[in-house]
Amino acid sequence: MTSATPPTSTSLSLPAPVPYPFNDQNGQGDGLGLHAAYADAREGAGMVRVRLPHGEPAWLATRYEDARLVLGDLRFSRAMALEGDEPRYNAARSKPSILSMDPPDHTRLRTLVSRAFTRHQVEGLRPWVRELTSRLLDGMVAAGPPADLVENFALPLPVQVICELLGVPASDRGRFRVWSDALLSTTRLTADELRENQDQLTDYLAGYVAERRADPRDDLMSGLIEARDAKDRLSEDELVSLCVAILVAGHETTASQIPNFVWVLLGQREEWQRLVDDPELVPGAVEELMRYIPLGAGAAFPRYAKEDVEVGGVLVRKGEPVVVSLGSANRDPARFEDPETLRFDRPANQHLGFGHGVHHCLGAQLARMELQEALRALVTKVPGLRIAGEPEWKRQMLVRAPRVLPVGW
């Protein structure tokens, strides 16, 4: 009787970790290309062992099925990252937040805000968001070309939406941009600089919590305060950190993906023209672009094995971390036919652009709707949109996107 083939590694003979992220190794900080090392990793045996700039080595999941397993299986923990030397990009350690929680604490906090982001609630916002996109684009066009698409459209749109929901003034978006960039930085800031920015944003939102406590309104922050004060469903620190997470995550993906969408589509002009000719293709285009564009500069937010778990032929021992490359998983030919090609009609497009499992993006429905309205407005109002200069790319950040994108029409 033959025994089953054993997993490819044990805790006694681990392969030497390779430097990560791959893109930075070859000066590929600009643009949205996916490094060839990801394809090599998908085609290789098992998973690759990597070392991020800080923290202990980790396994890197690059295949779609492996990614879904690590993100969705409750045998993997985010909370354990706070207990050890978490693989990370910045020297500073992460502060506890909803992003570092496991159920049931994660479920408790997520439930408090999930009603604001249901499909029904989001669809109720669509007419207002459509009017907002129209107004922003009209203002940009009236000012004349060239214009920075980010500053005039991509950033103010999601900032105004999330500020309206949360209950803070969108006029402070310049400060939000600085703080958000700091929280998503990799090696650009020292640990002290990162903590200073974290503290500034926390203090800013704690001030608004105090204002709302004295003068409640019909916004998400007032609802969270009621859950804290009247129902004791979260602590004061949890309340403020949840507001921080909502503010940053609530605008960053959309603000980054709008210029990314435009950059990719104008680089494949026939695809842009398809949307101009038939705007009804926009919802499918948004899903396909979320799959196609590797937003993350690399894998982050490690999951720790709570027990021995086999992933892609590798035995991940209890206490070992795994980081997941969503961009690589979304280009896995084992899951997506012809993954390097944009296909707006791709069937069953179950991409991982918004994550998977208990930490699946809480605001996915809101981001989808904003991206749909933004793209629809662009192809209908400025069908002749074109790149009017070299973009300035975000550098040393967890996300990749133009910081400045000059356009004309």
Side-chain angles (χ1 to χ4, degrees):
M1 183 182 213
T2 59
S3 60
T5 302
T8 59
S9 71
T10 70
S11 59
L12 300 179
S13 58
L14 293 173
V18 298
Y20 187 81
F22 301 135
N23 287 52
D24 286 349
Q25 288 178 244
N26 291 310
Q28 296 184 0
D30 292 348
L32 298 173
L34 193 62
H35 198 284
Y38 288 108
D40 293 341
R42 288 195 304 265
E43 294 166 6
M47 292 189 292
V48 178
R49 194 150 173 88
V50 296
R51 181 178 290 282
L52 277 69
H54 299 276
E56 62 184 313
W59 294 107
L60 173 66
T62 57
R63 292 185 283 265
Y64 183 89
E65 290 303 325
D66 295 347
R68 280 181 63 93
L69 172 62
V70 174
L71 296 176
D73 195 312
L74 293 180
R75 291 177 294 174
F76 285 94
S77 165
R78 274 292 295 135
M80 287 173 63
L82 297 176
E83 302 170 8
D85 193 11
E86 174 183 13
R88 60 197 185 278
Y89 295 88
N90 196 285
R93 300 292 185 90
S94 299
K95 288 187 175 183
S97 72
I98 190 172
L99 297 177
S100 60
M101 289 182 175
D102 295 334
D105 285 334
H106 177 270
T107 309
R108 171 174 55 85
L109 292 190
R110 188 178 176 104
T111 301
L112 293 177
V113 297
S114 60
R115 291 179 201 168
F117 298 102
T118 63
R119 185 184 297 273
H120 176 74
Q121 290 294 110
V122 166
E123 285 303 313
L125 293 172
R126 189 181 290 272
W128 173 62
V129 173
R130 181 167 294 181
E131 189 276 332
L132 177 59
T133 59
S134 180
R135 181 160 25 99
L136 288 170
L137 271 185
D138 286 347
M140 186 180 81
V141 170
D148 176 11
L149 186 73
V150 176
E151 186 63 29
N152 289 282
F153 183 65
L155 184 63
L157 171 60
V159 166
Q160 289 192 43
V161 173
I162 202 64
C163 286
E164 180 73 17
L165 287 174
L166 188 58
V168 295
S171 57
D172 285 340
R173 74 170 186 263
R175 302 169 72 185
F176 301 155
R177 190 176 194 180
V178 172
W179 291 327
S180 180
D181 283 357
L183 266 62
L184 296 173
S185 71
T186 53
T187 57
R188 181 172 58 87
L189 300 179
T190 67
D192 287 343
E193 289 171 333
L194 179 57
R195 278 190 289 268
E196 181 181 356
N197 278 275
Q198 289 174 330
D199 291 344
Q200 288 175 359
L201 177 54
T202 298
D203 291 345
Y204 171 88
L205 287 171
Y208 273 99
V209 166
E211 285 190 17
R212 289 295 177 278
R213 191 168 263 129
D215 181 22
R217 301 180 188 177
D218 185 19
D219 54 43
L220 184 53
M221 186 180 290
S222 297
L224 291 174
I225 292 169
E226 181 183 5
R228 160 68 181 148
D229 294 350
K231 302 174 183 177
D232 196 27
R233 297 181 66 186
L234 73 169
S235 69
E236 191 72 13
D237 285 345
E238 288 174 336
L239 191 163
V240 176
S241 71
L242 196 52
C243 290
V244 169
I246 291 169
L247 182 60
V248 174
H251 83 272
E252 183 61 49
T253 294
T254 306
S256 295
Q257 287 292 51
I258 291 172
N260 283 345
F261 282 14
V262 169
W263 178 254
V264 168
L265 289 169
L266 294 184
Q268 303 182 40
R269 192 77 199 195
E270 68 281 2
E271 301 302 328
W272 172 267
Q273 192 60 46
R274 288 181 64 201
L275 297 178
V276 170
D277 294 341
D278 185 3
E280 294 307 307
L281 294 174
V282 163
V286 166
E287 298 306 313
E288 177 66 347
L289 287 161
M290 286 296 300
R291 180 200 70 81
Y292 183 83
I293 294 171
L295 176 63
F301 304 109
R303 270 69 172 175
Y304 279 75
K306 298 196 293 190
E307 58 186 75
D308 291 359
V309 185
E310 185 176 346
V311 182
V314 169
L315 183 61
V316 181
R317 296 290 189 180
K318 179 180 179 180
E320 291 181 346
V322 182
V323 290
V324 175
S325 172
L326 300 178
S328 175
N330 280 333
R331 297 283 189 94
D332 187 352
R335 177 62 181 83
F336 300 100
E337 182 181 354
D338 197 13
E340 303 300 322
T341 300
L342 277 176
R343 288 179 49 187
F344 299 158
D345 60 348
R346 188 177 295 277
N349 193 351
Q350 295 182 321
H351 61 79
L352 301 178
F354 291 112
H356 177 66
V358 297
H359 285 278
H360 178 269
C361 177
L362 178 64
Q365 294 297 339
L366 179 63
R368 276 192 172 96
M369 183 268 286
E370 290 177 285
L371 290 168
Q372 289 168 6
E373 292 303 319
L375 188 53
R376 186 185 300 274
L378 286 164
V379 298
T380 55
K381 281 182 167 290
V382 281
L385 194 69
R386 57 181 176 81
I387 304 298
E390 286 297 317
E392 175 189 329
W393 291 91
K394 294 180 179 180
R395 304 300 301 271
Q396 297 176 300
M397 296 274 291
L398 289 177
V399 295
R400 299 192 296 175
R403 182 182 300 280
V404 176
L405 185 61
V407 294
W409 47 88

